[in-house]
Amino acid sequence: MATTQRKPADVSEKQARQVAEAARESEWRKPSFGKELFLGRFRLDLIDPWPAAEPSADADDYLAKLEAYVRSQVDGPRIEREASIPDEVFHGLARLGAFGMKIDKEYGGLGLSNLHYCKALTLIGSVNSSLGALLSAHQSIGVPQPLKIFGTPAQKKAFLPRLAAGEVSAFLLTEPDVGSDPARLGTMAEPVEGGYRLNGVKLWATNGTMATLLVVMARVPGKGITAFVVEGDAPGITVERRNEFLGLRALENSVTRFHDVFVPAENVIGGLGKGLKIALTTLNTGRLSLPAMCVGAGKWSLNVAREWSAERVQWGRPVGQHEAVAKKLAFIAATTYAMESMLDLCCLIADDDSNDIRIEAALIKLFASEMAWQVADELVQIRGGRGYEKAESLAARGERPVEVEQVLRDLRINRIFEGSTEIMHLLIAREAVDAHLSVAGDIIDPEAGLGRKARAGAQAGAFYARWLPTLAVGRGQVPTGYSEFGPLATHLRYVERASRKLARSTFYAMSRWQGKLERKQGFLGRIVDIGAELFAMSAVCVRARAERRDRPEGMELADLFCQQARLRTAALFGALWENTDSLDAKAAQRVLDGRYAFLEEGIVTAPADGAWVAAWQPGPTTVDDVRRRIPPAT
Ligand SMILES: Cc1cc2nc3c(=O)[nH]c(=O)nc-3n(C[C@H](O)[C@H](O)[C@H](O)COP(=O)(O)OP(=O)(O)OC[C@H]3O[C@@H](n4cnc5c(N)ncnc54)[C@H](O)[C@@H]3O)c2cc1C
C-alpha cells in the first residue's frame, strides 16, 4: 500500500496561527494570578497565604527511598561516560515505581502530588540530567498524563498499569518539517476498518528508541491533528536512528518511521481533531517537570560555587571575596531561591486545584530555563579553567570530579524544547492580551466587517471605561501597603505598581500598533519577561513570609532576589520604548538578502552541500531497526 506523508510545504502564516489558536484553551474556569497580573490586577490573595502541602507520609517515605537508591546505586558519571542508562537502573527505578509516580494508585502508580513528583525529578535530575529527562518525558508528556486527563476508563485500565510497572512511553509530535509550527504536520492517520493506518516520520522523540507505548500526533483527513496511543512494537514501526546531542548524552532519542501501522479506533485519545489541545492541556502541569530539573541544577551549582569560592585563593583572598565573583554567588543563590519558590508555588496551587496555572507554569518554564542557563554559565566562570574541564580529566589530575561543563551542556536544551523561549513569549503574550482581543479583537481584525467592528467598538468602550481607571491607583502607592510582609512590603508595593504599568503599556501598544502588535515580538517578549519577574518576586515574598519563623534567612534571599529582579524589570520597562527592534528587523532582512556576506569571508565555512532539513521519503524503511530492548530483570 502506498504511503501518504502529506506534503507540508504550503501552510501559510495565517493558517499556522489559526491552528495554534484552535488548540488554545479559551475558557478560564478558575482564577488565574498570572492573567490578572498582566491586566494590572495584582491578586496577591490568590497565592497568599502560601498554600499548605497535603501531608503525605507515603510520599515522604518514597522520596527517602528514592534518595537512598540514587545515592547508592546510580552512577551518574558512568551514565555520562557510556552515554547510556544501564539496564539495571531501569529495573531499579521500575521496582521503586518511578515510572508510575504520576499515575493514580488505582492503576498501580504512586499517585504523587505535583509537589512530590517535582521533588523526585529535582533529586533524580541532580544525579544525571538524562535520567530526569527520561522520567519527565515518560510521564509529563508521554502516555500517562494525557490519559489521566482525557483517557477513557478502558484506555486507563489497558495502559496505565503497564506504565506504572516500568514500561516506558514517549511523545511524538515533531517531524523533520514540523518544529514549533504543528500546522505543517505530515504524519497521516487514514481511517480503515476498525481503526487508522499511520504513515510518517517522527523526529527527536525522547525515549523513542525504547518506548513500548507512544503518544503519536497524526492528521486524520477532514478531522485534524489527533493523538493516538500506539504500541511501540506494532508492525510497521522502525526506530531508524538514535540521535546524539550537545548534552543529555544518555537520552534515548529517536527518529521513528511509521509505515502502514494499524492503530485500533479505541486508541484515539480525547476525540478526533483534539490532538493539539490535548498536547497543550497536558503541558499545563507537564511544563513543571523541566523547571524541576532547573531547580536541581541551581542547587547543585550553588553547592559547587560555595565550596569552591571559599577554598580557591587568588590575589590574596578566596575568590568568593572578590566582588566580581561575589556578585555571581549572590545571583546564583537568589535565582535558585526564586526558581524553587515559583516551582513549589505552581505545584501547590495545581495540587489544591484552586487556580488555573497555565500562565504561571508557562512563566516558570520560560524563567527557569533561561535563568538556570545563566546560573550554570556563571558557575563555569567562577570555576575558571576548571569550569571548562571534563570531570574525568579533573579526576585524572587528582582533583574533585565536578561536572560543571556537563551541567551547562545538559541545560541548554531547556530553552528549546517543550516550547522554545521565543514560542513561550508568544504563547504567554497571547494570554496577556486575551482580554483585549476578546473585547476589541474585531476592531483590529482586517477581515471583520463594519457591523462586527461597530459592535466591538461599543463593547470595548464599555470595557475600557471600567478598566482604565483601575490602572491609575492601587495599594502599591500606599506607604503602608503590604506592611504584613515587613521588610519585603516595599517589593510587593513595587510589584503592584509594576503590574498596573505593565497593563498600561500593553494597552498603549494595542492602541498604537493594533493588529500589527502580534508581529512586535521584541515588545511582547519584554512584556512577558516583566510578568515572569513580577511573578517570581511575588512567589519569593509569599514563601519567605510563610517560612520566616523556621527559616528567617529566606527573608534575606527574597529581598536579595527582589532587588536584583527590580533592576532587570526596570531595564525591560525602559527597553519597551527605547530599543533597536525596528532597526534590527530591517538589518536582519539585509542579512537574509546577503548584503553583508563579505563579513563571512576569510574563514572556512560549514559545508554548503547537504539539505538543511532532510527530505524524508514515505514508504517502508530502508535501514535496520536500532530499537533498544531492556531485558526483564533477573
Ligand atoms: C534533545 C531533544 C529532545 C526532544 N524531545 C522531543 C520529544 O520527546 N517529542 C517531540 O515531539 N519533540 C521533541 N523535541 C523537539 C523539540 O520540541 C523541538 O526542537 C522544538 O519544538 C523546536 O522546534 P525546531 O527545533 O524544529 O525549531 P524551529 O521551529 O525550526 O525553530 C527554529 C528557531 O526559530 C524560532 N521560531 C520558530 N517559530 C517562531 C515564531 N513564530 N516566532 C519567533 N521565533 C520562532 C524558534 O524558537 C527557534 O529559535 C526534542 C528536541 C530535542 C533537541
Side-chain angles (χ1 to χ4, degrees), residues 82 86 416 579:
E82 295 177 359
I416 297 172
N579 54 59

Side-chain angles (χ1 to χ4, degrees), residues 171 173-174 179-180 204 206 251 253 413 417 420 422 426 521:
F171 171 80
L173 168 64
T174 304
S180 309
W204 292 328
T206 297
L251 205 67
N253 185 285
I413 186 61
F417 63 13
S420 68
E422 293 73 22
L426 298 183
Q521 295 191 347

Side-chain angles (χ1 to χ4, degrees), residues 13 17 137 141 170-181 202-208 245 247-248 251 253 413 415-424 426 521:
E13 185 176 356
R17 281 171 204 273
I141 56 173
F171 171 80
L172 290 77
L173 168 64
T174 304
E175 298 175 5
D177 206 43
V178 180
S180 309
D181 172 12
K202 293 290 184 183
L203 179 63
W204 292 328
T206 297
N207 299 345
F245 302 101
L248 296 182
L251 205 67
N253 185 285
I413 186 61
R415 297 168 59 202
I416 297 172
F417 63 13
E418 292 191 21
S420 68
T421 288
E422 293 73 22
I423 296 299
M424 295 311 289
L426 298 183
Q521 295 191 347

